[in-house]
Amino acid sequence: MTTVLYEHPLNERIRNYLKLEQLFAQTNLSHLQNNIQTGHQVFFNALFAIIDTLERNDIRGDLIKDLEKLEHNLGKWIDAPNIDVSAIEVNLQQTKGLISQLKVTPPLWCQLKDDKLLSSIKQRFAIQGGSSSFDLPQLQFWLHQPIERIQLDTEYWLSLLTQIISALDLVLKFIRQRAAFEEIISENGFYQANGEGLLLLRIKVPQSADYFPTVSGNKFRYSIRFMLPCEEAGRRYSNQNTAFQLARC
């Protein structure tokens, strides 16, 4: 059965991680290369949002702490019975390497703030409709350079974020693996439970379903309310018993 996956963070740290993960997906160079004249808007909007998120939050510090916890846990798991030791060792070495790289100061991504082209166009992208070609002739010039030049520039910018991307992928991978999905039936489209010790909720519903989940809560308690599309109000509560899958990570 084809399902739709919804994820909801239960603290600000995981919220920032998921936000960055989606922004990094939008910097995928294949989108840019397929249509440079329209794809660059998505690319630069995502890139500048990543820079702002890294500047306003101690993402590097949070990742280092999570990686150090992961290193500690991997060290304990390696002695557990029926464990794939080689897989643990690979992840352990990757974790140690990323911790070492992230502790280097200043972080590599800070070089993005000094890039002449990026710094000259960033402010206009913060304005709705401000990145038009007549407002940014320098960007228009860059967009008409040989594709090889554009690829070199974009690959270089993303290379300065590699450590953050790799650390984020590793941390989120192990968070998502903390729990398996279980089948649940909510009464009257509503479900609530204790959130203590949880970081992330993952909810699956059938793609053919006419409802979707909305989540509210924190690390102490959370609730899931299923909603139906509504032409008049945009959405309305579902009062039907609702089957879904939930992983409490």
Side-chain angles (χ1 to χ4, degrees):
M1 178 179 65
T2 304
T3 58
V4 179
L5 174 65
Y6 299 84
E7 292 188 319
H8 186 84
L10 292 177
N11 63 42
E12 191 63 24
R13 184 175 93 260
I14 306 303
R15 181 181 296 276
N16 285 329
Y17 287 177
L18 295 182
K19 181 194 301 183
L20 281 171
E21 182 183 50
Q22 293 191 28
L23 289 171
F24 280 127
Q26 293 172 26
T27 62
N28 189 311
L29 292 182
S30 63
H31 303 321
L32 185 63
Q33 293 161 1
N34 288 340
N35 191 335
I36 189 69
Q37 294 303 319
T38 57
H40 77 277
Q41 293 279 351
V42 175
F43 176 84
F44 283 116
N45 276 321
L47 183 62
F48 294 143
I50 290 169
I51 295 172
D52 287 342
T53 302
L54 294 176
E55 281 189 310
R56 295 172 183 172
N57 305 275
D58 186 18
I59 302 296
R60 185 177 67 135
D62 288 338
L63 286 172
I64 289 173
K65 291 176 184 176
D66 281 331
L67 288 171
E68 288 176 339
K69 291 178 185 176
L70 178 58
E71 180 186 10
H72 176 72
N73 289 332
L74 288 170
K76 293 193 299 183
W77 296 340
I78 203 168
D79 295 323
N82 304 318
I83 285 291
D84 186 342
V85 175
S86 60
I88 294 291
E89 288 178 340
V90 169
N91 284 290
L92 187 56
Q93 291 304 313
Q94 184 182 6
T95 302
K96 290 180 177 179
L98 286 169
I99 292 172
S100 177
Q101 294 169 24
L102 287 173
K103 286 185 174 180
V104 174
T105 54
L108 280 178
W109 68 265
C110 285
Q111 296 179 37
L112 291 169
K113 296 189 295 182
D114 300 323
D115 185 277
K116 300 305 182 184
L117 175 60
L118 296 182
S119 60
S120 69
I121 67 175
K122 184 174 183 294
Q123 187 174 4
R124 295 299 309 180
F125 270 83
I127 303 171
Q128 187 173 13
S131 57
S132 302
S133 59
F134 53 82
D135 283 321
L136 292 173
Q138 185 176 358
L139 175 60
Q140 185 73 349
F141 173 81
W142 181 82
L143 290 172
H144 287 82
Q145 295 303 298
I147 189 63
E148 294 79 13
R149 163 67 187 280
I150 292 174
Q151 287 176 338
L152 282 175
D153 287 343
T154 51
E155 288 171 0
Y156 170 69
W157 295 329
L158 293 180
S159 72
L160 299 176
L161 294 162
T162 299
Q163 296 169 359
I164 298 292
I165 296 172
S166 299
L168 192 65
D169 287 346
L170 187 62
V171 168
L172 286 175
K173 179 180 76 171
F174 277 92
I175 288 175
R176 288 172 171 137
Q177 290 177 354
R178 290 177 59 177
F181 284 95
E182 55 183 305
E183 296 285 344
I184 293 178
I185 297 180
S186 66
E187 294 185 8
N188 299 320
F190 182 76
Y191 177 83
Q192 65 178 348
N194 187 348
E196 189 171 353
L198 301 182
L199 301 174
L200 175 69
L201 298 178
R202 311 185 76 210
I203 304 165
K204 284 183 179 180
V205 300
Q207 187 174 23
S208 58
D210 61 353
Y211 52 84
F212 58 91
T214 59
V215 182
S216 61
N218 50 44
K219 62 182 180 180
F220 301 110
R221 194 158 190 83
Y222 65 88
S223 63
I224 302 173
R225 165 70 73 179
F226 287 91
M227 311 293 291
L228 300 169
C230 175
E231 290 187 3
E232 295 180 359
R235 64 179 186 177
R236 61 183 175 86
Y237 292 133
S238 170
N239 294 318
Q240 303 297 318
N241 290 351
T242 306
F244 65 101
Q245 297 178 57
L246 176 64
R248 293 172 262 220
C249 305

